[in-house]
Amino acid sequence: MSLLPAGRRNGFAHGGPPAAVTDDRLSGAGGTAPAPDRPGPPPTGRTGERGADAGGSRPHEAPGQGAGRGTPRERLRAWAELLRVSALFSVPGDALAGAAAVGRRPGRGTALAIGASLCLYEAGMALNDWADRGEDAIDRPHRPIPSGRISPAAALGAAGVLTAAGLALAARAGRPALTVATGLAATVWAYDLHLKHTKAGPAAMAAARSLDLLLGATATATVTAPGAGTPGGGRLSDNVAGVTAAATAAAVPTPGTLTASLPALPAALVLGAHTYGVTAVSRHEAQGGSTGVPLAVLATTTALAAAVLGGGERFSRATDRHAVPQPGGTPGQDLFRQDLLGRGLPGRTTDPLRLLVIALTGAYLRTAGPPLLHAALNPSPPLTQRAVGGGIRAMIPLQAALAARAGSPVTGLAVMGLVPLARSLARKVSLT
């Protein structure tokens, strides 16, 4: 999720926090671009730092005064900063984990959900900077809008266009997906325009992240693709073992309902709970000083990891009964799922799927846990910021673990494959 200090949190639960450079190998240790929102050395004129020789932010210019200036490359860089494109790779895992949770192979509906999520995420980023342009003019004058590199009207227009594009893509996946996407878009706009300044901010961020996973589940379950499930319904009753070969020749929308995404609700709640905790920590990252919040979030992170590994009957009942075989599944996978999600972790310790879930959950803990502990022991702003960054980066392995846990190891590995891509782009464009 996109998390910034109080009054400066981003608009959709995916992006990056004000990042201090860390040595986290999973997230791109030491290679993350320095956050432009942090005090640093005097500008050098390098693109993005907007020194005097780069024609960038000038203290005497009003916001928007210099809009449209610079070379095409500089304008592209400004939009990349505004939209925080380096955090885009945290988005696809939501839809992929949602598809796995409803026991479907990723297909046309999943692709439409990913496209819709990306658009709504970027809409939230643009809207966030537009809403906070007055504060940025004082606190962060080098941001694209107050520096004059992007006009407020352009940012607001981009937010509107991206929101419309996201809803249009969701509509292509059917009415249920459009319903979920509409709720997600409303949450994004409500958060950016008002809720982020209230106590409801963390809950709004958690709701946005949960809705994004449910969007992927709904779009996947209500679009039938060859080999993805039985044709004609997209309902839970259609998604049973012994799928017939009578699939449609091309992916087509089917008359599904919102109940098709119910098996994904537990996974969405896990992701939402993680997001709530990260957002709660982020509210202290500017001043630091909070020991109890990082400790509470560390305990929550540990509990979520235990839920992923052990599950429990209430967590897994729907998925256990209605899942279909996933690509890359192993023989005896259904029995393993019952062991993993219903009764804990008994049985063979060498089951490949089981080992994968353990490894991905370990990556989640490794990414989120140590920074939270450090922030609890020394609640200074830099360590609190690092804890927020660790929580953001931990979303990718958490998404991967949830997908593998639902019986889709190939999807889980594909989500983890986004880590090096995110690391590479973060070296060029800051997460914040």
Side-chain angles (χ1 to χ4, degrees):
M1 284 229 161
S2 199
L3 303 163
L4 295 175
R8 281 293 313 153
R9 298 178 194 86
N10 293 344
F12 180 14
H14 296 301
V21 177
T22 74
D23 59 354
D24 191 322
R25 296 180 182 178
L26 181 65
S27 60
T32 302
D37 302 326
R38 298 285 174 243
T44 62
R46 190 176 65 206
T47 302
E49 294 183 9
R50 314 304 302 168
D53 58 333
S57 175
R58 296 175 177 84
H60 60 277
E61 287 184 349
Q65 183 176 334
R69 296 180 181 177
T71 65
R73 183 173 182 178
E74 289 174 335
R75 291 196 295 271
L76 182 62
R77 173 72 184 216
W79 279 102
E81 290 180 20
L82 180 79
L83 300 176
R84 296 169 176 89
V85 295
S86 57
L88 280 173
F89 293 104
S90 68
V91 179
D94 286 342
L96 292 171
V102 293
R104 299 273 182 145
R105 294 180 176 89
R108 176 175 176 268
T110 316
L112 289 170
I114 290 174
S117 296
L118 288 170
C119 289
L120 294 176
Y121 159 72
E122 293 290 35
M125 294 296 183
L127 183 63
N128 175 78
D129 273 28
W130 178 85
D132 288 340
R133 63 194 185 281
E135 297 174 29
D136 283 348
I138 299 173
D139 299 330
R140 309 199 313 178
H142 44 273
R143 288 295 300 163
I145 292 178
S147 69
R149 289 177 288 156
I150 295 177
S151 70
L156 182 60
V161 170
L162 286 166
T163 299
L167 295 177
L169 287 170
R172 295 290 300 275
R175 185 173 297 175
L178 177 60
T179 300
V180 177
T182 301
L184 174 57
T187 303
V188 169
W189 281 71
Y191 177 84
D192 278 331
L193 297 180
H194 175 66
L195 293 180
K196 65 183 171 184
H197 300 291
T198 72
K199 293 182 179 180
M205 291 287 273
R209 184 61 102 164
S210 295
L211 285 170
D212 198 43
L213 189 146
L214 291 175
L215 174 59
T218 304
T220 303
T222 55
V223 174
T224 301
T230 56
R235 298 176 186 270
L236 292 179
S237 59
D238 298 321
N239 195 12
V240 295
V243 176
T244 67
T248 52
V252 294
T254 60
T257 67
L258 289 175
T259 59
S261 63
L262 286 181
L265 184 58
L269 292 176
V270 166
L271 208 56
H274 172 80
T275 302
Y276 188 101
V278 177
T279 310
V281 175
S282 77
R283 297 172 85 87
H284 301 276
E285 64 179 335
Q287 296 83 22
S290 174
T291 296
V293 173
L295 279 177
V297 175
L298 178 59
T300 300
T301 299
T302 304
L304 292 176
V308 173
L309 290 175
E313 191 64 26
R314 190 167 67 179
F315 190 101
S316 61
R317 190 177 298 144
T319 304
D320 199 28
R321 284 203 300 259
H322 299 288
V324 297
Q326 295 290 321
T330 58
Q333 174 178 307
D334 291 338
L335 178 60
F336 164 69
R337 184 186 293 110
Q338 183 179 4
D339 288 341
L340 177 63
L341 302 184
R343 298 190 301 272
L345 287 171
R348 294 170 297 155
T349 59
T350 57
D351 190 304
L353 181 58
R354 177 185 184 182
L355 293 176
L356 177 61
V357 174
I358 292 173
L360 294 174
T361 306
Y364 165 62
L365 283 173
R366 165 65 182 85
T367 307
L372 286 169
L373 180 59
H374 296 159
L377 295 175
N378 179 10
S380 63
L383 290 182
T384 303
Q385 293 155 16
R386 180 176 294 186
V388 176
I392 297 299
R393 293 185 294 271
M395 286 181 180
I396 294 180
L398 179 57
Q399 293 162 344
L402 289 171
R405 172 192 190 279
S408 185
V410 172
T411 299
L413 291 173
V415 172
M416 280 301 289
L418 298 174
V419 169
L421 298 176
R423 178 191 310 166
S424 176
L425 188 56
R427 294 191 182 106
K428 300 177 181 179
V429 181
S430 173
L431 286 168
T432 60

